[in-house]
Amino acid sequence: MIIILCTTNCWGNDGMMRQGMSRQDLMSNYSINMRRMLNDTLNSINSYQNHILESDVDDINELWFDMMEIEKKNCKRILDVLRKIDPIQGKMCKSKKLNEVQIKETIAIPPPTNSKDRAKVLSNIREDLMQQLNMINNYETMTMQTSTSEIRNLMNEIAETKRQNVEMLAKALEQLDADGYDEMQLEM
């Protein structure tokens, strides 16, 4: 369990210091920032992968590959923390409905690990994951900025569907690129 205390000054999701933020808003800000970190990590993985595909220099490709593998491990660690500080995301991870979702074994992913087709599919999954994380952040920011319960409820409902998408995409990454991400499961 992660406990975060905010006594007098806290940082808002816009990077500005705030006084007297509620615990819920503070946790939302931390969740937003964790999603941004996850986004940056996924973006790095895609960049390294693209560099490898475009380069014929084995030594530098090996360096980029090693860096990409480190980022994959970071991705798993960040997602695990996000699931702990965002109770809805944690619930989505444990959802039996989502755990029953299996990526079809017949997906046409070429077997070589350096295949351009396989790399493109993995890159697209990471880009989709980044898009879902950005949308969750946008909905949560809107929720914190409005006092209208109808809008707050709508934003929360939509964000929940995006969290489901995050879990399905994370499962796809785990199944299609299992050598780099380990198992992306919530460990509590």
Side-chain angles (χ1 to χ4, degrees):
M1 172 186 256
I2 296 177
I3 299 173
I4 301 169
L5 298 175
C6 177
T7 53
T8 55
N9 296 321
C10 301
W11 295 98
N13 63 1
D14 58 358
M16 301 300 292
M17 192 175 297
R18 302 280 186 262
Q19 288 189 322
M21 288 181 77
S22 72
R23 183 175 178 357
Q24 181 179 355
D25 285 349
L26 180 62
M27 294 309 286
S28 289
N29 280 326
Y30 282 120
S31 296
I32 288 169
N33 288 328
M34 291 302 293
R35 284 187 209 96
R36 286 180 181 147
M37 291 167 55
L38 186 54
N39 244 345
D40 291 343
T41 303
L42 291 165
N43 207 9
S44 293
I45 294 167
N46 280 351
S47 290
Y48 297 140
Q49 179 178 273
N50 289 336
H51 295 332
I52 292 167
L53 291 173
E54 295 170 355
S55 171
D56 292 333
V57 181
D58 289 339
D59 288 343
I60 193 70
N61 284 351
E62 190 175 315
L63 173 69
W64 281 325
F65 181 82
D66 290 345
M67 293 168 64
M68 184 173 68
E69 293 302 306
I70 290 168
E71 291 300 334
K72 287 178 182 180
K73 287 176 180 40
N74 291 340
C75 179
K76 179 210 179 304
R77 294 173 66 203
I78 293 168
L79 188 56
D80 286 346
V81 170
L82 178 60
R83 288 170 174 157
K84 290 176 184 176
I85 65 174
D86 180 344
I88 299 170
Q89 192 71 52
K91 183 178 102 179
M92 292 297 153
C93 176
K94 294 178 180 180
S95 168
K96 289 185 182 197
K97 177 182 165 189
L98 289 176
N99 287 333
E100 292 171 2
V101 172
Q102 293 293 321
I103 305 303
K104 294 180 183 178
E105 293 180 19
T106 58
I107 288 180
I109 302 289
T113 56
N114 62 354
S115 163
K116 287 188 179 186
D117 290 338
R118 178 183 176 84
K120 184 65 177 166
V121 168
L122 292 171
S123 179
N124 287 341
I125 291 170
R126 288 188 291 266
E127 286 175 11
D128 291 344
L129 185 53
M130 289 185 284
Q131 183 181 31
Q132 296 299 311
L133 294 167
N134 280 334
M135 286 189 274
I136 294 168
N137 284 350
N138 292 339
Y139 291 124
E140 282 199 354
T141 299
M142 180 68 169
T143 299
M144 289 187 295
Q145 293 173 349
T146 186
S147 59
T148 307
S149 63
E150 183 178 357
I151 294 173
R152 287 178 79 94
N153 290 338
L154 176 63
M155 296 298 110
N156 285 329
E157 288 172 18
I158 294 172
E160 188 169 330
T161 65
K162 301 303 173 190
R163 286 181 179 91
Q164 289 174 347
N165 293 346
V166 165
E167 293 304 321
M168 287 188 285
L169 291 165
K171 189 166 188 72
L173 276 180
E174 177 188 328
Q175 290 180 5
L176 300 176
D177 194 17
D179 60 315
Y181 291 93
D182 300 325
E183 188 173 335
M184 291 187 184
Q185 294 297 322
L186 180 62
E187 299 170 10
M188 291 186 143

